[in-house]
Amino acid sequence: MKYLVRLLLIVGCLFTHTTQAQPTLLHSVVKPQGKVEAASLNRTERYLLSLGDDAFIQGSMYLEDDFRPGIMILKNGTVYRDMFYRYNIFSHKVQMLQGIDTLALIKPELVRFLKIGERTFVYDSIAATDSMQHVFFQLLSDGPVRLLVKHTSVFQPVIPYFREMHIGDEYDSFVLTKAYYVQEAGKPAIRVRKSIRSLVTALPHYEKSITNHCNLLDLNLRKESDLVRLFEALNH
């Protein structure tokens, strides 16, 4: 959707307030909040901004297009109920619907848990090579060792080396990807593949338990449901 930004902070400075205009998926994320220099936008953002409002892109930049009822619990114990949320997995921003207005979450570090529909999210750190990154993860299993998944929407233009002023193509698309992570208490999340070897490398103290549970429960870790079953067993 396309939004016209107001410079107004509400709900304890957690959200920026925006006014909803006509639906235009292409501009919902890349519309600058206030004055933003073009140099601060990457090539993909500049390209999306250059497209007309009637440009069509397959797929979606949202985990779910519709706003879903949810609950937000802050680290200070404050609970916000009876709100509607959706997660933009292209920009990794959470939006909240209030009447006809849309609010963009600007301080995710204050959130302990965010429930959107049937999904629960946590905002935490990733162990990166040269820096510490923070993102929203969907929480698949909670306990001493968490199982997390990071959802991302990747923009794939049909012309690989597109230019910022290219008019767009009907086969341009957003593609949903998933990346799985494990996290021990007090540590950053570590990316893993869906295999015993990868899990044991990330969680060496759990090697025996992982192997035993996989054999006992006859798990196929390529299936997300079996991966969740493994971590439910590890956490009990």
Side-chain angles (χ1 to χ4, degrees):
M1 293 185 179
K2 187 177 182 180
Y3 303 106
L4 181 63
V5 176
R6 301 176 189 171
L7 299 179
L8 175 66
L9 299 181
I10 67 169
V11 193
C13 294
L14 278 172
F15 298 93
T16 53
H17 192 281
T18 60
T19 300
Q20 185 177 1
Q22 294 302 313
T24 306
L25 288 175
L26 297 179
H27 293 76
S28 62
V29 174
V30 296
K31 184 70 175 178
Q33 297 191 13
K35 184 178 180 180
V36 176
E37 297 296 331
S40 68
L41 301 176
N42 62 40
R43 184 176 66 164
T44 298
E45 291 169 333
R46 291 196 300 269
Y47 170 73
L48 293 176
L49 276 174
S50 74
L51 297 177
D53 289 351
D54 58 348
F56 177 77
I57 292 182
Q58 299 183 69
S60 176
M61 61 178 68
Y62 299 102
L63 185 56
E64 296 183 68
D65 286 331
D66 297 331
F67 283 87
R68 301 286 183 180
I71 300 173
M72 182 169 62
I73 303 175
L74 303 187
K75 292 178 179 178
N76 66 5
T78 303
V79 179
Y80 293 96
R81 302 180 185 274
D82 302 321
M83 297 290 188
F84 289 81
Y85 301 88
R86 70 177 175 182
Y87 184 21
N88 186 317
I89 55 175
F90 174 71
S91 64
H92 295 288
K93 304 292 184 183
V94 172
Q95 299 173 336
M96 184 181 80
L97 189 65
Q98 187 177 65
I100 63 171
D101 292 334
T102 300
L103 311 177
L105 182 62
I106 61 171
K107 290 192 176 180
E109 68 275 10
L110 300 183
V111 177
R112 183 179 300 278
F113 293 106
L114 175 62
K115 186 174 178 62
I116 305 177
E118 298 300 316
R119 306 174 195 259
T120 299
F121 296 88
V122 293
Y123 187 77
D124 220 316
S125 57
I126 293 176
T129 303
D130 55 356
S131 63
M132 192 67 71
Q133 302 173 2
H134 292 76
V135 298
F136 270 106
F137 296 98
Q138 182 182 345
L139 181 61
L140 297 181
S141 180
D142 201 6
V145 56
R146 285 175 161 178
L147 175 63
L148 309 164
V149 61
K150 177 188 174 186
H151 298 278
T152 301
S153 184
V154 179
F155 177 65
Q156 293 187 348
V158 69
I159 301 174
Y161 301 103
F162 61 88
R163 291 190 296 273
E164 146 185 2
M165 296 308 294
H166 177 62
I167 62 173
D169 189 281
E170 62 177 317
Y171 295 108
D172 287 349
S173 63
F174 287 104
V175 178
L176 174 65
T177 67
K178 283 184 175 183
Y180 293 88
Y181 290 78
V182 296
Q183 183 185 40
E184 295 183 82
K187 297 181 180 180
I190 300 173
R191 185 171 180 174
V192 294
R193 295 184 299 276
K194 293 187 287 184
S195 70
I196 293 177
R197 176 180 294 182
S198 181
L199 292 176
V200 168
T201 300
L203 303 167
H205 300 304
Y206 288 85
E207 179 176 2
K208 185 176 180 179
S209 295
I210 290 172
T211 303
N212 288 344
H213 284 306
C214 284
N215 292 331
L216 180 64
L217 300 174
D218 191 25
L219 299 178
N220 177 359
L221 298 185
R222 290 189 296 274
K223 297 179 179 178
E224 183 179 287
S225 58
D226 278 9
L227 194 60
V228 172
R229 288 178 64 197
L230 170 61
F231 277 80
E232 290 298 305
L234 293 175
N235 286 321
H236 288 85

